[in-house]
Short mmCIF file of all heavy atoms in Angstrom, two decimals:
data_model
loop_
_atom_site.label_atom_id
_atom_site.label_comp_id
_atom_site.label_asym_id
_atom_site.label_seq_id
_atom_site.Cartn_x
_atom_site.Cartn_y
_atom_site.Cartn_z
N GLU A 1 -7.35 12.21 48.18
CA GLU A 1 -7.19 12.47 49.61
C GLU A 1 -7.44 13.94 49.96
O GLU A 1 -7.39 14.33 51.13
CB GLU A 1 -5.78 12.07 50.07
CG GLU A 1 -5.50 10.58 49.88
CD GLU A 1 -4.11 10.19 50.34
OE1 GLU A 1 -3.44 11.04 50.98
OE2 GLU A 1 -3.69 9.07 50.05
N HIS A 2 -7.70 14.75 48.94
CA HIS A 2 -8.03 16.18 49.11
C HIS A 2 -6.95 16.95 49.87
O HIS A 2 -7.24 17.77 50.75
CB HIS A 2 -9.38 16.33 49.82
CG HIS A 2 -10.50 15.65 49.09
ND1 HIS A 2 -11.76 15.48 49.64
CD2 HIS A 2 -10.55 15.08 47.86
CE1 HIS A 2 -12.53 14.83 48.78
NE2 HIS A 2 -11.81 14.58 47.68
N LYS A 3 -5.70 16.71 49.51
CA LYS A 3 -4.60 17.46 50.09
C LYS A 3 -4.50 18.82 49.40
O LYS A 3 -5.09 19.06 48.35
CB LYS A 3 -3.27 16.71 49.90
CG LYS A 3 -3.22 15.32 50.50
CD LYS A 3 -1.88 14.65 50.16
CE LYS A 3 -1.78 13.25 50.71
NZ LYS A 3 -0.49 12.59 50.34
N SER A 4 -3.70 19.71 49.97
CA SER A 4 -3.38 20.95 49.26
C SER A 4 -2.45 20.60 48.11
O SER A 4 -1.76 19.57 48.13
CB SER A 4 -2.71 21.95 50.19
OG SER A 4 -1.39 21.52 50.52
N GLU A 5 -2.41 21.47 47.10
CA GLU A 5 -1.55 21.19 45.95
C GLU A 5 -0.07 21.17 46.35
O GLU A 5 0.73 20.42 45.77
CB GLU A 5 -1.79 22.23 44.83
CG GLU A 5 -1.34 23.65 45.13
CD GLU A 5 -2.33 24.44 45.99
OE1 GLU A 5 -3.31 23.84 46.47
OE2 GLU A 5 -2.11 25.65 46.17
N GLU A 6 0.30 21.95 47.36
CA GLU A 6 1.69 21.95 47.81
C GLU A 6 2.03 20.65 48.52
O GLU A 6 3.08 20.04 48.25
CB GLU A 6 1.95 23.14 48.74
CG GLU A 6 3.39 23.21 49.24
CD GLU A 6 3.68 24.45 50.08
OE1 GLU A 6 2.77 25.30 50.23
OE2 GLU A 6 4.81 24.56 50.58
N LEU A 7 1.16 20.21 49.41
CA LEU A 7 1.41 18.96 50.14
C LEU A 7 1.41 17.78 49.18
O LEU A 7 2.19 16.83 49.35
CB LEU A 7 0.35 18.76 51.22
CG LEU A 7 0.52 17.53 52.12
CD1 LEU A 7 1.89 17.55 52.82
CD2 LEU A 7 -0.61 17.43 53.14
N LEU A 8 0.56 17.83 48.17
CA LEU A 8 0.51 16.78 47.16
C LEU A 8 1.87 16.65 46.47
O LEU A 8 2.38 15.54 46.25
CB LEU A 8 -0.58 17.10 46.14
CG LEU A 8 -0.98 15.99 45.15
CD1 LEU A 8 -1.62 14.82 45.90
CD2 LEU A 8 -1.96 16.55 44.12
N THR A 9 2.46 17.77 46.17
CA THR A 9 3.76 17.80 45.51
C THR A 9 4.87 17.33 46.46
O THR A 9 5.76 16.55 46.07
CB THR A 9 4.09 19.22 45.01
OG1 THR A 9 3.02 19.68 44.18
CG2 THR A 9 5.39 19.24 44.21
N GLU A 10 4.82 17.80 47.69
CA GLU A 10 5.84 17.44 48.67
C GLU A 10 5.83 15.93 48.95
O GLU A 10 6.89 15.29 49.02
CB GLU A 10 5.63 18.21 49.96
CG GLU A 10 5.91 19.71 49.83
CD GLU A 10 5.58 20.48 51.10
OE1 GLU A 10 4.84 19.94 51.96
OE2 GLU A 10 6.06 21.62 51.24
N ASP A 11 4.63 15.37 49.12
CA ASP A 11 4.54 13.93 49.39
C ASP A 11 5.00 13.11 48.20
O ASP A 11 5.60 12.03 48.36
CB ASP A 11 3.10 13.56 49.76
CG ASP A 11 2.73 14.03 51.17
OD1 ASP A 11 3.63 14.47 51.91
OD2 ASP A 11 1.54 13.96 51.52
N PHE A 12 4.75 13.60 46.99
CA PHE A 12 5.24 12.92 45.79
C PHE A 12 6.77 12.84 45.84
O PHE A 12 7.36 11.79 45.58
CB PHE A 12 4.78 13.67 44.54
CG PHE A 12 5.31 13.10 43.25
CD1 PHE A 12 4.55 12.18 42.51
CD2 PHE A 12 6.56 13.46 42.76
CE1 PHE A 12 5.05 11.64 41.33
CE2 PHE A 12 7.06 12.93 41.58
CZ PHE A 12 6.29 12.01 40.86
N TYR A 13 7.41 13.95 46.18
CA TYR A 13 8.87 13.99 46.22
C TYR A 13 9.41 13.08 47.33
O TYR A 13 10.39 12.35 47.12
CB TYR A 13 9.35 15.42 46.44
CG TYR A 13 10.85 15.58 46.35
CD1 TYR A 13 11.49 15.67 45.11
CD2 TYR A 13 11.64 15.62 47.51
CE1 TYR A 13 12.87 15.81 45.02
CE2 TYR A 13 13.01 15.76 47.42
CZ TYR A 13 13.63 15.85 46.18
OH TYR A 13 14.99 15.97 46.10
N ASP A 14 8.78 13.13 48.49
CA ASP A 14 9.24 12.30 49.61
C ASP A 14 9.11 10.82 49.30
O ASP A 14 10.01 10.02 49.55
CB ASP A 14 8.44 12.63 50.87
CG ASP A 14 8.94 13.89 51.57
OD1 ASP A 14 10.07 14.33 51.28
OD2 ASP A 14 8.18 14.45 52.38
N GLU A 15 7.96 10.42 48.75
CA GLU A 15 7.63 9.01 48.58
C GLU A 15 8.30 8.38 47.35
O GLU A 15 8.70 7.22 47.37
CB GLU A 15 6.12 8.83 48.50
CG GLU A 15 5.40 9.22 49.80
CD GLU A 15 3.90 9.38 49.63
OE1 GLU A 15 3.40 9.05 48.52
OE2 GLU A 15 3.24 9.82 50.58
N ARG A 16 8.45 9.15 46.26
CA ARG A 16 8.98 8.57 45.02
C ARG A 16 10.46 8.88 44.81
O ARG A 16 11.09 8.30 43.94
CB ARG A 16 8.17 9.06 43.83
CG ARG A 16 6.66 8.99 44.10
CD ARG A 16 5.86 8.59 42.92
NE ARG A 16 4.44 8.67 43.21
CZ ARG A 16 3.48 8.37 42.36
NH1 ARG A 16 3.79 7.95 41.14
NH2 ARG A 16 2.21 8.46 42.71
N ALA A 17 10.99 9.77 45.61
CA ALA A 17 12.42 10.06 45.64
C ALA A 17 13.04 10.29 44.26
O ALA A 17 14.02 9.64 43.89
CB ALA A 17 13.16 8.93 46.35
N PRO A 18 12.49 11.23 43.47
CA PRO A 18 13.10 11.50 42.17
C PRO A 18 14.40 12.28 42.32
O PRO A 18 14.71 12.77 43.41
CB PRO A 18 12.03 12.35 41.47
CG PRO A 18 11.37 13.08 42.60
CD PRO A 18 11.35 12.11 43.75
N GLY A 19 15.13 12.42 41.23
CA GLY A 19 16.38 13.18 41.26
C GLY A 19 17.30 12.71 40.17
O GLY A 19 17.54 11.51 40.03
N TYR A 20 17.82 13.62 39.39
CA TYR A 20 18.70 13.24 38.29
C TYR A 20 20.00 12.61 38.80
O TYR A 20 20.46 11.60 38.27
CB TYR A 20 19.04 14.47 37.43
CG TYR A 20 19.99 14.14 36.29
CD1 TYR A 20 19.52 13.63 35.09
CD2 TYR A 20 21.36 14.32 36.44
CE1 TYR A 20 20.39 13.31 34.05
CE2 TYR A 20 22.25 14.01 35.41
CZ TYR A 20 21.75 13.50 34.23
OH TYR A 20 22.62 13.18 33.21
N ASP A 21 20.57 13.22 39.82
CA ASP A 21 21.87 12.80 40.31
C ASP A 21 21.81 11.69 41.35
O ASP A 21 22.72 10.88 41.48
CB ASP A 21 22.62 14.00 40.89
CG ASP A 21 21.77 14.78 41.90
OD1 ASP A 21 20.52 14.70 41.81
OD2 ASP A 21 22.34 15.47 42.76
N LYS A 22 20.70 11.62 42.08
CA LYS A 22 20.54 10.64 43.15
C LYS A 22 19.08 10.66 43.59
O LYS A 22 18.29 11.52 43.18
CB LYS A 22 21.44 11.00 44.33
CG LYS A 22 21.11 12.36 44.94
CD LYS A 22 22.03 12.70 46.11
CE LYS A 22 21.66 14.08 46.68
NZ LYS A 22 22.52 14.44 47.83
N ALA A 23 18.70 9.69 44.42
CA ALA A 23 17.37 9.72 45.01
C ALA A 23 17.24 10.96 45.87
O ALA A 23 18.17 11.31 46.61
CB ALA A 23 17.15 8.46 45.84
N HIS A 24 16.10 11.65 45.76
CA HIS A 24 15.91 12.93 46.44
C HIS A 24 17.01 13.91 46.01
O HIS A 24 17.67 14.52 46.85
CB HIS A 24 15.90 12.78 47.96
CG HIS A 24 14.70 12.06 48.48
ND1 HIS A 24 14.78 10.98 49.32
CD2 HIS A 24 13.38 12.24 48.24
CE1 HIS A 24 13.56 10.53 49.61
NE2 HIS A 24 12.69 11.29 48.96
N GLY A 25 17.18 14.05 44.71
CA GLY A 25 18.21 14.94 44.17
C GLY A 25 17.60 16.10 43.39
O GLY A 25 16.48 16.55 43.67
N ASN A 26 18.34 16.57 42.38
CA ASN A 26 17.92 17.73 41.59
C ASN A 26 16.63 17.44 40.83
O ASN A 26 16.60 16.55 39.97
CB ASN A 26 19.02 18.10 40.58
CG ASN A 26 20.34 18.42 41.24
OD1 ASN A 26 20.40 18.83 42.40
ND2 ASN A 26 21.43 18.23 40.50
N THR A 27 15.59 18.20 41.14
CA THR A 27 14.28 17.94 40.54
C THR A 27 13.47 19.22 40.41
O THR A 27 13.56 20.11 41.25
CB THR A 27 13.47 16.94 41.41
OG1 THR A 27 14.25 15.77 41.66
CG2 THR A 27 12.17 16.54 40.73
N VAL A 28 12.67 19.29 39.34
CA VAL A 28 11.64 20.31 39.21
C VAL A 28 10.34 19.56 38.92
O VAL A 28 10.30 18.71 38.03
CB VAL A 28 11.94 21.30 38.07
CG1 VAL A 28 10.80 22.31 37.92
CG2 VAL A 28 13.25 22.02 38.32
N ILE A 29 9.29 19.86 39.68
CA ILE A 29 8.02 19.15 39.53
C ILE A 29 6.89 20.12 39.24
O ILE A 29 6.71 21.11 39.97
CB ILE A 29 7.66 18.36 40.82
CG1 ILE A 29 8.78 17.39 41.20
CG2 ILE A 29 6.35 17.60 40.63
CD1 ILE A 29 8.54 16.68 42.53
N LEU A 30 6.12 19.82 38.20
CA LEU A 30 4.88 20.55 37.94
C LEU A 30 3.73 19.61 38.29
O LEU A 30 3.58 18.54 37.69
CB LEU A 30 4.77 20.98 36.47
CG LEU A 30 3.42 21.61 36.10
CD1 LEU A 30 3.20 22.94 36.84
CD2 LEU A 30 3.31 21.83 34.59
N THR A 31 2.93 20.01 39.27
CA THR A 31 1.78 19.20 39.71
C THR A 31 0.48 19.86 39.29
O THR A 31 0.30 21.07 39.51
CB THR A 31 1.79 19.05 41.24
OG1 THR A 31 2.98 18.37 41.64
CG2 THR A 31 0.58 18.25 41.72
N LEU A 32 -0.41 19.08 38.69
CA LEU A 32 -1.77 19.54 38.40
C LEU A 32 -2.73 18.81 39.33
O LEU A 32 -2.89 17.58 39.24
CB LEU A 32 -2.15 19.26 36.94
CG LEU A 32 -2.22 20.51 36.03
CD1 LEU A 32 -0.84 21.16 35.98
CD2 LEU A 32 -2.67 20.15 34.63
N ASP A 33 -3.32 19.57 40.25
CA ASP A 33 -4.28 19.04 41.20
C ASP A 33 -5.67 19.25 40.61
O ASP A 33 -6.21 20.36 40.67
CB ASP A 33 -4.12 19.77 42.54
CG ASP A 33 -5.16 19.40 43.56
OD1 ASP A 33 -6.03 18.54 43.27
OD2 ASP A 33 -5.14 20.00 44.65
N MET A 34 -6.27 18.21 40.06
CA MET A 34 -7.55 18.33 39.36
C MET A 34 -8.72 18.46 40.33
O MET A 34 -9.81 18.88 39.93
CB MET A 34 -7.76 17.14 38.42
CG MET A 34 -6.66 16.97 37.38
SD MET A 34 -6.33 18.47 36.42
CE MET A 34 -7.86 18.59 35.48
N TYR A 35 -8.52 18.12 41.60
CA TYR A 35 -9.59 18.28 42.59
C TYR A 35 -9.75 19.74 42.99
O TYR A 35 -10.86 20.29 42.97
CB TYR A 35 -9.30 17.42 43.82
CG TYR A 35 -10.32 17.62 44.93
CD1 TYR A 35 -11.57 17.02 44.87
CD2 TYR A 35 -10.01 18.41 46.05
CE1 TYR A 35 -12.51 17.22 45.88
CE2 TYR A 35 -10.93 18.61 47.06
CZ TYR A 35 -12.19 18.02 46.97
OH TYR A 35 -13.12 18.23 47.98
N ASN A 36 -8.65 20.37 43.34
CA ASN A 36 -8.69 21.78 43.75
C ASN A 36 -8.57 22.74 42.57
O ASN A 36 -8.67 23.95 42.77
CB ASN A 36 -7.56 22.07 44.75
CG ASN A 36 -7.76 21.36 46.08
OD1 ASN A 36 -8.82 21.45 46.68
ND2 ASN A 36 -6.73 20.65 46.53
N ARG A 37 -8.35 22.18 41.37
CA ARG A 37 -8.13 22.98 40.16
C ARG A 37 -7.00 23.99 40.40
O ARG A 37 -7.10 25.19 40.14
CB ARG A 37 -9.41 23.73 39.75
CG ARG A 37 -10.60 22.84 39.47
CD ARG A 37 -10.39 21.99 38.25
NE ARG A 37 -10.28 22.79 37.02
CZ ARG A 37 -10.10 22.25 35.81
NH1 ARG A 37 -9.99 20.93 35.67
NH2 ARG A 37 -10.01 23.03 34.74
N LYS A 38 -5.89 23.45 40.88
CA LYS A 38 -4.70 24.28 41.11
C LYS A 38 -3.47 23.56 40.60
O LYS A 38 -3.42 22.32 40.56
CB LYS A 38 -4.53 24.59 42.60
CG LYS A 38 -5.53 25.62 43.13
CD LYS A 38 -5.16 26.04 44.55
CE LYS A 38 -6.07 27.16 45.03
NZ LYS A 38 -5.68 27.63 46.39
N MET A 39 -2.47 24.35 40.22
CA MET A 39 -1.18 23.80 39.85
C MET A 39 -0.14 24.25 40.86
O MET A 39 -0.30 25.29 41.52
CB MET A 39 -0.78 24.26 38.43
CG MET A 39 -0.42 25.74 38.33
SD MET A 39 0.09 26.21 36.66
CE MET A 39 -1.51 26.36 35.86
N TYR A 40 0.92 23.47 40.98
CA TYR A 40 2.02 23.84 41.87
C TYR A 40 3.32 23.46 41.20
O TYR A 40 3.49 22.34 40.70
CB TYR A 40 1.90 23.13 43.22
CG TYR A 40 2.84 23.69 44.27
CD1 TYR A 40 2.50 24.84 44.97
CD2 TYR A 40 4.07 23.09 44.55
CE1 TYR A 40 3.36 25.38 45.93
CE2 TYR A 40 4.92 23.62 45.50
CZ TYR A 40 4.57 24.76 46.19
OH TYR A 40 5.42 25.30 47.12
N LEU A 41 4.24 24.41 41.16
CA LEU A 41 5.56 24.17 40.57
C LEU A 41 6.61 24.28 41.66
O LEU A 41 6.66 25.31 42.37
CB LEU A 41 5.83 25.19 39.46
CG LEU A 41 7.20 25.11 38.77
CD1 LEU A 41 7.40 23.74 38.13
CD2 LEU A 41 7.33 26.20 37.72
N ALA A 42 7.42 23.25 41.83
CA ALA A 42 8.42 23.23 42.90
C ALA A 42 9.78 22.83 42.35
O ALA A 42 9.87 21.99 41.45
CB ALA A 42 8.00 22.27 44.00
N GLY A 43 10.83 23.44 42.90
CA GLY A 43 12.20 23.07 42.54
C GLY A 43 12.95 22.59 43.76
O GLY A 43 12.86 23.20 44.84
#
């Protein structure tokens, strides 16, 4: 969909609701965007 690497990461968190303690909880995500050749790390 050619999103930015940040939006790609944000939508992943919103849609898949990860989290150790609960849905949408404590998470660290490393995203590799192979289209834009960029990585994004979010906590």
Side-chain angles (χ1 to χ4, degrees):
E1 298 180 11
H2 302 170
K3 301 177 181 178
S4 70
E5 68 280 7
E6 181 176 357
L7 183 58
L8 192 65
T9 306
E10 291 175 343
D11 286 351
F12 176 95
Y13 186 81
D14 280 343
E15 295 166 7
R16 314 218 186 181
Y20 178 84
D21 50 336
K22 62 181 179 179
H24 291 128
N26 302 334
T27 307
V28 177
I29 304 175
L30 174 65
T31 299
L32 252 62
D33 174 2
M34 302 308 292
Y35 176 78
N36 292 310
R37 301 293 296 181
K38 286 189 174 183
M39 71 178 79
Y40 192 81
L41 178 59

